[in-house]
Amino acid sequence: ILNVEQSPQSLHVQEGDSTNFTCSFPSSNFYALHWYRWETAKSPEALFVMTLNGDEKKKGRISATLNTKEGYSYLYIKGSQPEDSATYLCAFRPRSNDYKLSFGAGTTVTVRA
Amino acid sequence: DSGVTQTPKHLITATGQRVTLRCSPRSGDLSVYWYQQSLDQGLQFLIHYYNGEERAKGNILERFSAQQFPDLHSELNLSSLELGDSALYFCASSPPGVTGAFFGQGTRLTVV
């Protein structure tokens, strides 16, 4: 299992504030990095697929950047809203024959009104 | 709808029993992953199958086993169940290439 780490494990944000958190992954043999949004008792929902160094993706108030050379990705939430409360998972896919996905443990975001 | 089907949605069983959870991946997806989410725990990786072969094992107990059949559906077998096995079990499938994993709705297992 490849080491994919997310930090912090959890964070609390005041409504309207912006926040960001990190996903670290092996920098060698990179193929793709995925971000998922996971609400309690629901199944994870795909946010972004990132494949190129320097990639930036945006979906509403959520955006992500990718640095494959140093092995990290940031997820940003601008102007956090209570509905942004969820666990955000990243998953690393190396270049391999079976395209195995390795998930981080997630960052749980709680937005306080 | 992700296209990944898990059955049953809910399962209540007694300690010591054995259950089988089923996952039908999206058409054409060769990879199937099983995950467990216990109370206050994140997504714990259990096992990964690719085209019928086991490719990676995570924190899967010896009482648990899985397999992927020629038609690519997968089953997770949980035996000698304990109260602590109560959890939400997710299956995900993914195709080759950059596309990520698609998750089923999960099976909620309650051991009483």
Side-chain angles (χ1 to χ4, degrees):
Chain A
I1 300 295
L2 296 166
N3 199 20
V4 179
E5 294 183 357
Q6 291 187 245
S7 62
Q9 185 176 354
S10 63
L11 58 90
H12 296 261
V13 188
Q14 199 64 34
E15 182 176 0
D17 286 352
S18 297
T19 189
N20 65 83
F21 38 93
T22 311
C23 171
S24 301
F25 52 86
S27 56
S28 60
N29 214 26
F30 178 86
Y31 190 69
L33 192 283
H34 302 268
W35 281 101
Y36 292 84
R37 183 173 181 276
W38 183 29
E39 291 181 72
T40 304
K42 294 185 180 179
S43 53
E45 170 196 355
L47 282 174
F48 304 118
V49 180
M50 309 183 80
T51 57
L52 297 174
N53 185 43
D55 249 357
E56 288 189 31
K57 300 272 181 160
K58 188 174 180 183
K59 188 175 183 177
R61 292 177 291 94
I62 300 176
S63 61
T65 60
L66 178 68
N67 184 323
T68 61
K69 294 189 188 309
E70 295 182 40
Y72 65 84
S73 175
Y74 291 130
L75 193 85
Y76 300 88
I77 304 176
K78 184 178 177 182
S80 304
Q81 299 297 308
E83 59 264 32
D84 296 327
S85 296
T87 296
Y88 293 84
L89 298 167
C90 69
F92 168 70
R93 176 166 272 183
R95 190 173 298 276
S96 68
N97 290 336
D98 56 15
Y99 300 95
K100 181 173 56 184
L101 270 179
S102 294
F103 279 84
T107 293
T108 299
V109 175
T110 305
V111 182
R112 294 180 286 218
Chain B
D1 182 7
S2 68
V4 179
T5 304
Q6 287 188 249
T7 55
K9 286 189 169 47
H10 301 276
L11 195 51
I12 301 175
T13 189
T15 54
Q17 295 299 304
R18 173 190 168 93
V19 297
T20 297
L21 312 183
R22 183 187 169 100
C23 170
S24 295
R26 296 186 332 144
S27 177
D29 285 0
L30 300 181
S31 275
V32 169
Y33 307 81
W34 285 98
Y35 297 89
Q36 178 194 56
Q37 186 216 352
S38 304
L39 198 63
D40 297 330
Q41 294 282 324
L43 210 56
Q44 302 288 320
F45 168 69
L46 294 178
I47 199 161
H48 168 223
Y49 277 87
Y50 179 79
N51 203 19
E53 292 184 12
E54 180 187 304
R55 287 305 179 103
K57 262 186 176 179
N59 298 323
I60 187 166
L61 299 171
E62 285 191 13
R63 301 182 285 108
F64 295 1
S65 64
Q67 54 184 327
Q68 187 181 26
F69 295 87
D71 66 352
L72 301 177
H73 90 271
S74 178
E75 292 181 355
L76 180 67
N77 300 296
L78 314 176
S79 61
S80 303
L81 285 167
E82 302 174 0
L83 295 177
D85 297 327
S86 296
L88 196 53
Y89 291 85
F90 284 110
C91 161
S93 74
S94 67
V98 298
T99 309
F102 296 83
F103 284 81
Q105 292 300 304
T107 292
R108 180 167 294 283
L109 172 67
T110 303
V111 182
V112 297

